[in-house]
Amino acid sequence: MYKRLTEDAELGKLSTSQDVLARRHLLEETEILKKCEKNGQIADFTIAELEEKANSAFLESIAFLDTQEMHLIYINFLIERLNLNSQYLNDERFERLNDAFYKLESKFQISVDYLVKWMRYLITFKKIDEAFEKIEKYLDEFKSNKDLWTLYLELNINKNAQEDIILKVFYKSIDNIKQNEALELWETIFEWSLNSQSQNAEKLLQLGSSLMVKEISTIARTKYLEWAEKINDFKLKEVYSNLRQIPPYSYEFFLKYIELEKSRLHEKDVEFAYEDALKHFGNEIIDLWIEYMCFKQEIKKTQDIAGLYWRAMKQLDSDLIEEFSHKFCLFKLNSTDGHTFE
């Protein structure tokens, strides 16, 4: 096969043929790895020699077939090798990859997907200034790309940029990308604002809590509760009261409030939150009913459990009744006070 690919001029013009020919130098890799593992030897240096031959072959292929496709095939090969994660070869592999990206950029229009990959490797290998320079160069061209904005925001945070700069980058990012693609940006800004005890933390949490994208508002609201709980009891109740009836409703939000009030031993507030949760999720979440019953048992209000059972039987979707009945039976069996619930 290799002889034919070498001798056939038409086949040789195909980038896929050049890919196969270059990779043939690594055919012995698996066998070498097995032998070294068996003998307790380090295979990296032997593999490095094979990899050098393959790399040289790829460079020759690019010189012969200087197309964008050939450059990308070479970059994909280098990414594969770098992802093998050898402590002895990683730096050399990265330098080859970085050089290949620069050559691709100098000759062709780099796609945003490959640009993001490049930036991630630059950051991983501590080439922070290079990453900054490249992202700032391409942000206008790819201003709707969430990954570039997230990387740019993270770089500013990690470099301890001033707060007004970090916020400016964040607000500009969410203005340029689709709201339903902004989850990672919101997670990043929440983590930064809370860890740095930013004066803008509550403002950001309020803004995130008001969004109609459920993934974002759920994270914002649960973090808002956690933030409020650290201030005082009144603030926690205020935040919950302000958000409890505002869609999109989130099961996680109610559970977080229940968890926090349980830790404060506020039984009435816990019961109130369970009732709120049941209004929105009592038809679909069996465990919500069972957990509420368990709580009633913990606080010695077992007389309420029968009522919860019959409410659940009426409120749950019909296809969930059988599963609920099974779980309720297990709940009764695990009860230790001998109380009859029905």
Side-chain angles (χ1 to χ4, degrees), residues 95-239:
E95 290 302 330
R96 284 177 179 164
L97 177 60
N98 197 31
D99 184 59
F101 271 122
Y102 271 108
K103 288 178 180 177
L104 173 68
E105 180 193 36
S106 68
K107 295 188 176 185
F108 306 98
Q109 183 175 8
I110 190 169
S111 71
V112 67
D113 290 339
Y114 276 94
L115 179 63
V116 169
K117 289 179 182 180
W118 187 9
M119 295 306 100
R120 292 193 192 282
Y121 283 114
L122 284 174
I123 294 169
T124 299
F125 285 86
K126 312 301 182 185
K127 304 292 183 180
I128 304 302
D129 291 336
E130 285 183 48
F132 247 115
E133 179 185 339
K134 291 298 177 186
I135 292 177
E136 289 181 337
K137 174 182 176 180
Y138 285 103
L139 263 179
D140 284 340
E141 182 178 349
F142 300 115
K143 62 183 178 182
S144 63
N145 184 268
K146 64 181 178 63
D147 294 319
L148 273 187
W149 279 112
T150 301
L151 289 172
Y152 191 46
L153 180 61
E154 290 172 349
L155 283 171
N156 277 281
I157 290 172
N158 292 335
K159 288 193 75 172
N160 295 316
Q162 293 182 352
E163 182 163 331
D164 60 329
I165 294 175
I166 292 172
L167 292 173
K168 183 179 178 180
V169 170
F170 172 71
Y171 287 126
K172 190 173 181 180
S173 71
I174 60 174
D175 283 342
N176 279 287
I177 67 173
K178 295 178 181 177
Q179 199 174 90
N180 60 3
E181 295 181 349
L183 176 61
E184 193 174 357
L185 280 158
W186 282 99
E187 288 176 327
T188 301
I189 203 67
F190 288 150
E191 182 179 359
W192 164 78
S193 65
L194 295 171
N195 289 342
S196 64
Q197 298 182 329
S198 166
Q199 293 182 350
N200 289 280
E202 184 172 15
K203 180 181 177 182
L204 290 165
L205 291 167
Q206 288 174 338
L207 182 59
S209 296
S210 69
L211 297 180
M212 293 305 293
V213 179
K214 189 173 181 179
E215 282 184 318
I216 297 173
S217 64
T218 295
I219 290 175
R221 293 178 187 194
T222 53
K223 288 186 178 294
Y224 199 179
L225 289 173
E226 291 172 340
W227 175 84
E229 192 263 347
K230 292 177 182 177
I231 295 178
N232 55 49
D233 186 57
F234 176 80
K235 187 65 177 178
L236 174 61
K237 287 177 170 54
E238 178 188 55
V239 170

Side-chain angles (χ1 to χ4, degrees), residues 259-310:
E259 173 194 324
L260 294 173
E261 290 293 16
K262 276 184 177 180
S263 68
R264 289 167 171 259
L265 304 178
H266 294 168
E267 294 179 5
K268 289 185 178 180
D269 293 310
V270 173
E271 290 175 306
F272 183 77
Y274 268 121
E275 291 295 337
D276 276 348
L278 287 173
K279 290 175 186 176
H280 301 291
F281 302 102
N283 67 317
E284 59 182 296
I285 301 180
I286 294 170
D287 288 345
L288 178 58
W289 292 98
I290 301 299
E291 288 167 13
Y292 193 11
M293 292 175 187
C294 289
F295 177 70
K296 288 287 190 178
Q297 185 171 319
E298 288 173 12
I299 62 174
K300 310 302 181 185
K301 289 187 177 181
T302 53
Q303 70 275 9
D304 295 342
I305 293 175
L308 285 174
Y309 170 81
W310 289 113

